[in-house]
Amino acid sequence: MNTHEKFKEYGKKALEYRRKCEMLLPEIFKSEIWREKGFLSIYEYAAKLAGMSAAVVDDCLKIHKRIEDKPELMAIAEVKGLRAVKPVAYIATQETAVFWADKAAEMSQHTLQTYVKEFRNESDVKSEEEVTMKLKPEVLKQLEKMRGELTWNDLMERLLGNDVPEAVEASSRHVPNEMQRFSKGKFNGKCHYPNCTRPGEILHHTQRFALERVHDPARLVYLCKAHEQIAHLGLFDNEDEAPHSWRLREAADKSDLKYFVDRKVQGYRSG
Ligand SMILES: [Zn+2]
């Protein structure tokens, strides 16, 4: 084999094994093998063992979730990889899965993407309506953060179909995995504080877990380190409301039970 032939051959193998790794991710996520093997998260596990980025891991898990009930698309994913069916994962329904599986089988990912885009444009032209809305700037900013790369229509569809995990009473601070993904993904991994575009780092119970032992997605937010500390200093006004209503205040409310709990936590942290 000459150099070119070797490169081509190895590259083919590399892609094939990468696809195999991607297909294993949902199982790894469910069984939490990573925890057992001493990794902090599935992201660390996938990065250290297979050089996969967090974005790819998220992508694969999301795509798998969308197609796991559609055997036709799962079959294509087995052969061509999870990400080969990405363009159709969000539009295929049980009824149209066969149609989209055929297209995914015969088209490259790029061609498929183009096809889906134009297909949607054609079917949407007649049915799409222009809407004007009056939104408070802070609401719009949060929506934009949530939207990320999506079109407005895709965001609305996602919101309509969003399966919000149910609140659970718990004895442990450990937030169930599905809920973690929900809360962290809500604003594309960004801090939930209005206008803050730093990546989130810490899941924060706005009601304080010590006061009410509940993991509730409506009161579980993802904050950057600075905003988490500010919250624990009692300087969030309207903390019990949705993030776009939060404001900073100059001094903590010392009659609030949360203040008492946060003081105790501060004590542990510095002590
Ligand atoms: Zn922040």
Side-chain angles (χ1 to χ4, degrees):
M1 275 203 286
N2 65 28
T3 305
H4 167 69
E5 280 166 351
K6 275 191 206 159
F7 193 86
K8 217 172 112 180
E9 175 66 16
Y10 299 164
K12 201 174 135 192
K13 280 268 183 304
L15 289 173
E16 186 191 326
Y17 277 86
R18 178 141 187 125
R19 284 200 292 269
K20 285 181 194 286
C21 281
E22 291 177 2
M23 283 303 282
L24 292 175
L25 285 172
E27 170 63 24
I28 292 164
F29 177 71
K30 265 188 212 125
S31 62
E32 301 199 348
I33 303 169
W34 50 269
R35 191 189 297 279
E36 189 184 301
K37 299 292 174 195
F39 293 87
L40 289 171
S41 66
I42 188 170
Y43 304 115
E44 193 198 10
Y45 178 92
K48 289 205 171 143
L49 297 184
M52 290 168 106
S53 72
V56 168
V57 173
D58 268 343
D59 223 22
C60 289
L61 292 175
K62 276 188 199 156
I63 296 165
H64 183 266
K65 212 176 163 200
R66 298 293 306 206
I67 66 165
E68 62 186 340
D69 59 344
K70 303 178 186 84
E72 301 84 0
L73 285 171
M74 283 297 284
I76 306 295
E78 289 282 352
V79 182
K80 296 182 79 176
L82 269 175
R83 284 189 299 153
V85 298
K86 183 181 180 181
V88 300
Y90 288 88
I91 51 167
T93 60
Q94 302 268 8
E95 293 73 38
T96 60
V98 175
F99 171 80
W100 287 117
D102 281 347
K103 294 287 173 286
E106 64 189 9
M107 293 179 183
S108 72
Q109 200 188 349
H110 179 71
T111 310
L112 185 61
Q113 218 163 11
T114 311
Y115 181 79
V116 168
K117 212 170 153 195
E118 281 160 18
F119 187 89
R120 296 187 105 178
N121 279 344
E122 268 175 32
S123 58
D124 283 353
V125 170
K126 298 177 281 302
S127 54
E128 251 182 18
E129 290 191 39
E130 185 98 25
V131 187
T132 313
M133 284 187 284
K134 283 192 174 157
L135 297 175
K136 291 181 183 164
E138 58 270 29
V139 173
L140 178 60
K141 285 237 170 78
Q142 288 296 77
L143 281 170
E144 277 171 343
K145 190 153 71 174
M146 192 178 265
R147 180 169 72 117
E149 308 279 297
L150 298 176
T151 63
W152 282 108
N153 190 73
D154 286 345
L155 172 67
M156 295 306 164
E157 280 183 19
R158 203 184 81 182
L159 288 173
L160 285 173
N162 232 350
D163 304 323
V164 181
E166 268 181 56
V168 286
E169 285 185 30
S171 53
S172 145
R173 283 192 159 270
H174 176 73
V175 177
N177 286 354
E178 274 302 314
M179 202 182 294
Q180 283 203 31
R181 263 184 71 201
F182 175 81
S183 297
K184 292 178 180 176
K186 196 164 179 183
F187 290 98
N188 289 310
K190 305 249 166 73
C191 171
H192 291 195
Y193 196 86
N195 291 331
C196 182
T197 52
R198 278 188 293 264
E201 284 184 68
I202 305 156
L203 283 169
H204 171 70
H205 294 80
T206 58
Q207 90 281 15
R208 303 298 181 272
F209 186 75
L211 287 177
E212 198 185 330
R213 295 177 161 264
V214 166
H215 299 302
D216 176 359
R219 295 179 294 168
L220 185 70
V221 295
Y222 198 38
L223 298 177
C224 68
K225 222 170 190 151
H227 279 122
E228 195 256 354
Q229 283 177 356
I230 292 170
H232 280 291
L233 290 170
L235 298 177
F236 274 17
D237 222 359
N238 309 327
E239 190 183 0
D240 298 327
E241 292 167 33
H244 68 268
S245 313
W246 296 345
R247 300 285 177 276
L248 292 185
R249 57 186 174 199
E250 288 176 11
D253 174 3
K254 293 185 180 169
S255 65
D256 192 338
L257 255 183
K258 283 190 212 172
Y259 180 78
F260 174 73
V261 171
D262 288 337
R263 282 282 107 163
K264 264 176 76 174
V265 174
Q266 288 291 325
Y268 297 143
R269 280 185 183 175
S270 53

PDB file of all heavy atoms in Angstrom, residues 37-53:
ATOM      1  N   LYS A  37     -16.542   3.481  36.737  1.00  0.00           N
ATOM      2  CA  LYS A  37     -15.127   3.440  36.361  1.00  0.00           C
ATOM      3  C   LYS A  37     -14.347   4.655  36.867  1.00  0.00           C
ATOM      4  O   LYS A  37     -13.209   4.886  36.455  1.00  0.00           O
ATOM      5  CB  LYS A  37     -14.994   3.351  34.831  1.00  0.00           C
ATOM      6  CG  LYS A  37     -15.622   2.108  34.234  1.00  0.00           C
ATOM      7  CD  LYS A  37     -14.858   0.851  34.643  1.00  0.00           C
ATOM      8  CE  LYS A  37     -15.561  -0.406  34.170  1.00  0.00           C
ATOM      9  NZ  LYS A  37     -15.064  -1.622  34.829  1.00  0.00           N
ATOM     10  N   GLY A  38     -14.998   5.464  37.704  1.00  0.00           N
ATOM     11  CA  GLY A  38     -14.276   6.558  38.344  1.00  0.00           C
ATOM     12  C   GLY A  38     -14.199   7.853  37.567  1.00  0.00           C
ATOM     13  O   GLY A  38     -13.349   8.693  37.851  1.00  0.00           O
ATOM     14  N   PHE A  39     -15.068   8.032  36.563  1.00  0.00           N
ATOM     15  CA  PHE A  39     -15.088   9.314  35.845  1.00  0.00           C
ATOM     16  C   PHE A  39     -16.166  10.218  36.442  1.00  0.00           C
ATOM     17  O   PHE A  39     -17.121   9.741  37.043  1.00  0.00           O
ATOM     18  CB  PHE A  39     -15.366   9.079  34.359  1.00  0.00           C
ATOM     19  CG  PHE A  39     -14.257   8.355  33.642  1.00  0.00           C
ATOM     20  CD1 PHE A  39     -14.229   6.966  33.615  1.00  0.00           C
ATOM     21  CD2 PHE A  39     -13.240   9.061  33.013  1.00  0.00           C
ATOM     22  CE1 PHE A  39     -13.195   6.280  32.965  1.00  0.00           C
ATOM     23  CE2 PHE A  39     -12.216   8.387  32.357  1.00  0.00           C
ATOM     24  CZ  PHE A  39     -12.194   6.998  32.334  1.00  0.00           C
ATOM     25  N   LEU A  40     -15.995  11.531  36.265  1.00  0.00           N
ATOM     26  CA  LEU A  40     -16.929  12.493  36.858  1.00  0.00           C
ATOM     27  C   LEU A  40     -18.223  12.581  36.069  1.00  0.00           C
ATOM     28  O   LEU A  40     -19.274  12.894  36.606  1.00  0.00           O
ATOM     29  CB  LEU A  40     -16.288  13.883  36.903  1.00  0.00           C
ATOM     30  CG  LEU A  40     -15.158  14.032  37.910  1.00  0.00           C
ATOM     31  CD1 LEU A  40     -14.461  15.352  37.718  1.00  0.00           C
ATOM     32  CD2 LEU A  40     -15.702  13.896  39.329  1.00  0.00           C
ATOM     33  N   SER A  41     -18.144  12.332  34.777  1.00  0.00           N
ATOM     34  CA  SER A  41     -19.335  12.449  33.938  1.00  0.00           C
ATOM     35  C   SER A  41     -19.128  11.637  32.672  1.00  0.00           C
ATOM     36  O   SER A  41     -18.000  11.203  32.376  1.00  0.00           O
ATOM     37  CB  SER A  41     -19.568  13.911  33.543  1.00  0.00           C
ATOM     38  OG  SER A  41     -18.503  14.332  32.712  1.00  0.00           O
ATOM     39  N   ILE A  42     -20.204  11.472  31.933  1.00  0.00           N
ATOM     40  CA  ILE A  42     -20.090  10.762  30.654  1.00  0.00           C
ATOM     41  C   ILE A  42     -19.221  11.583  29.691  1.00  0.00           C
ATOM     42  O   ILE A  42     -18.536  11.030  28.842  1.00  0.00           O
ATOM     43  CB  ILE A  42     -21.494  10.485  30.043  1.00  0.00           C
ATOM     44  CG1 ILE A  42     -21.376   9.578  28.812  1.00  0.00           C
ATOM     45  CG2 ILE A  42     -22.224  11.768  29.685  1.00  0.00           C
ATOM     46  CD1 ILE A  42     -22.680   9.056  28.277  1.00  0.00           C
ATOM     47  N   TYR A  43     -19.207  12.908  29.878  1.00  0.00           N
ATOM     48  CA  TYR A  43     -18.399  13.760  29.002  1.00  0.00           C
ATOM     49  C   TYR A  43     -16.913  13.487  29.200  1.00  0.00           C
ATOM     50  O   TYR A  43     -16.146  13.379  28.253  1.00  0.00           O
ATOM     51  CB  TYR A  43     -18.698  15.242  29.257  1.00  0.00           C
ATOM     52  CG  TYR A  43     -20.150  15.573  29.097  1.00  0.00           C
ATOM     53  CD1 TYR A  43     -20.920  15.996  30.176  1.00  0.00           C
ATOM     54  CD2 TYR A  43     -20.780  15.444  27.858  1.00  0.00           C
ATOM     55  CE1 TYR A  43     -22.261  16.281  30.026  1.00  0.00           C
ATOM     56  CE2 TYR A  43     -22.120  15.730  27.700  1.00  0.00           C
ATOM     57  CZ  TYR A  43     -22.857  16.148  28.789  1.00  0.00           C
ATOM     58  OH  TYR A  43     -24.184  16.422  28.644  1.00  0.00           O
ATOM     59  N   GLU A  44     -16.516  13.392  30.481  1.00  0.00           N
ATOM     60  CA  GLU A  44     -15.111  13.112  30.769  1.00  0.00           C
ATOM     61  C   GLU A  44     -14.739  11.724  30.248  1.00  0.00           C
ATOM     62  O   GLU A  44     -13.679  11.515  29.657  1.00  0.00           O
ATOM     63  CB  GLU A  44     -14.856  13.197  32.283  1.00  0.00           C
ATOM     64  CG  GLU A  44     -13.382  13.226  32.617  1.00  0.00           C
ATOM     65  CD  GLU A  44     -13.070  12.886  34.076  1.00  0.00           C
ATOM     66  OE1 GLU A  44     -13.957  12.439  34.814  1.00  0.00           O
ATOM     67  OE2 GLU A  44     -11.901  13.037  34.439  1.00  0.00           O
ATOM     68  N   TYR A  45     -15.640  10.785  30.454  1.00  0.00           N
ATOM     69  CA  TYR A  45     -15.435   9.403  30.002  1.00  0.00           C
ATOM     70  C   TYR A  45     -15.207   9.359  28.489  1.00  0.00           C
ATOM     71  O   TYR A  45     -14.225   8.789  28.004  1.00  0.00           O
ATOM     72  CB  TYR A  45     -16.681   8.602  30.403  1.00  0.00           C
ATOM     73  CG  TYR A  45     -16.721   7.148  29.996  1.00  0.00           C
ATOM     74  CD1 TYR A  45     -16.245   6.155  30.856  1.00  0.00           C
ATOM     75  CD2 TYR A  45     -17.273   6.753  28.783  1.00  0.00           C
ATOM     76  CE1 TYR A  45     -16.320   4.813  30.510  1.00  0.00           C
ATOM     77  CE2 TYR A  45     -17.350   5.412  28.423  1.00  0.00           C
ATOM     78  CZ  TYR A  45     -16.872   4.446  29.287  1.00  0.00           C
ATOM     79  OH  TYR A  45     -16.951   3.117  28.942  1.00  0.00           O
ATOM     80  N   ALA A  46     -16.108  10.012  27.752  1.00  0.00           N
ATOM     81  CA  ALA A  46     -16.037   9.962  26.293  1.00  0.00           C
ATOM     82  C   ALA A  46     -14.823  10.730  25.768  1.00  0.00           C
ATOM     83  O   ALA A  46     -14.199  10.334  24.781  1.00  0.00           O
ATOM     84  CB  ALA A  46     -17.314  10.515  25.677  1.00  0.00           C
ATOM     85  N   ALA A  47     -14.473  11.823  26.460  1.00  0.00           N
ATOM     86  CA  ALA A  47     -13.331  12.626  26.019  1.00  0.00           C
ATOM     87  C   ALA A  47     -12.027  11.863  26.248  1.00  0.00           C
ATOM     88  O   ALA A  47     -11.164  11.787  25.375  1.00  0.00           O
ATOM     89  CB  ALA A  47     -13.307  13.962  26.755  1.00  0.00           C
ATOM     90  N   LYS A  48     -11.900  11.279  27.443  1.00  0.00           N
ATOM     91  CA  LYS A  48     -10.631  10.625  27.765  1.00  0.00           C
ATOM     92  C   LYS A  48     -10.453   9.301  27.028  1.00  0.00           C
ATOM     93  O   LYS A  48      -9.347   8.947  26.646  1.00  0.00           O
ATOM     94  CB  LYS A  48     -10.522  10.397  29.279  1.00  0.00           C
ATOM     95  CG  LYS A  48     -10.305  11.708  30.014  1.00  0.00           C
ATOM     96  CD  LYS A  48      -9.619  11.522  31.346  1.00  0.00           C
ATOM     97  CE  LYS A  48      -9.235  12.875  31.938  1.00  0.00           C
ATOM     98  NZ  LYS A  48      -9.389  12.941  33.370  1.00  0.00           N
ATOM     99  N   LEU A  49     -11.529   8.568  26.837  1.00  0.00           N
ATOM    100  CA  LEU A  49     -11.383   7.254  26.228  1.00  0.00           C
ATOM    101  C   LEU A  49     -11.480   7.276  24.709  1.00  0.00           C
ATOM    102  O   LEU A  49     -10.948   6.404  24.038  1.00  0.00           O
ATOM    103  CB  LEU A  49     -12.430   6.283  26.793  1.00  0.00           C
ATOM    104  CG  LEU A  49     -12.317   6.000  28.299  1.00  0.00           C
ATOM    105  CD1 LEU A  49     -13.332   4.950  28.711  1.00  0.00           C
ATOM    106  CD2 LEU A  49     -10.916   5.537  28.668  1.00  0.00           C
ATOM    107  N   ALA A  50     -12.199   8.271  24.165  1.00  0.00           N
ATOM    108  CA  ALA A  50     -12.392   8.240  22.709  1.00  0.00           C
ATOM    109  C   ALA A  50     -12.189   9.595  22.048  1.00  0.00           C
ATOM    110  O   ALA A  50     -12.446   9.744  20.849  1.00  0.00           O
ATOM    111  CB  ALA A  50     -13.790   7.708  22.389  1.00  0.00           C
ATOM    112  N   GLY A  51     -11.717  10.588  22.819  1.00  0.00           N
ATOM    113  CA  GLY A  51     -11.469  11.907  22.229  1.00  0.00           C
ATOM    114  C   GLY A  51     -12.721  12.590  21.705  1.00  0.00           C
ATOM    115  O   GLY A  51     -12.654  13.389  20.787  1.00  0.00           O
ATOM    116  N   MET A  52     -13.889  12.268  22.304  1.00  0.00           N
ATOM    117  CA  MET A  52     -15.136  12.876  21.827  1.00  0.00           C
ATOM    118  C   MET A  52     -15.446  14.141  22.615  1.00  0.00           C
ATOM    119  O   MET A  52     -15.283  14.163  23.827  1.00  0.00           O
ATOM    120  CB  MET A  52     -16.300  11.900  22.009  1.00  0.00           C
ATOM    121  CG  MET A  52     -16.237  10.720  21.092  1.00  0.00           C
ATOM    122  SD  MET A  52     -17.439   9.489  21.631  1.00  0.00           S
ATOM    123  CE  MET A  52     -18.642   9.711  20.390  1.00  0.00           C
ATOM    124  N   SER A  53     -15.911  15.168  21.916  1.00  0.00           N
ATOM    125  CA  SER A  53     -16.257  16.410  22.601  1.00  0.00           C
ATOM    126  C   SER A  53     -17.621  16.278  23.275  1.00  0.00           C
ATOM    127  O   SER A  53     -18.416  15.411  22.910  1.00  0.00           O
ATOM    128  CB  SER A  53     -16.295  17.565  21.611  1.00  0.00           C
ATOM    129  OG  SER A  53     -17.431  17.444  20.789  1.00  0.00           O
TER     130      SER A  53
END
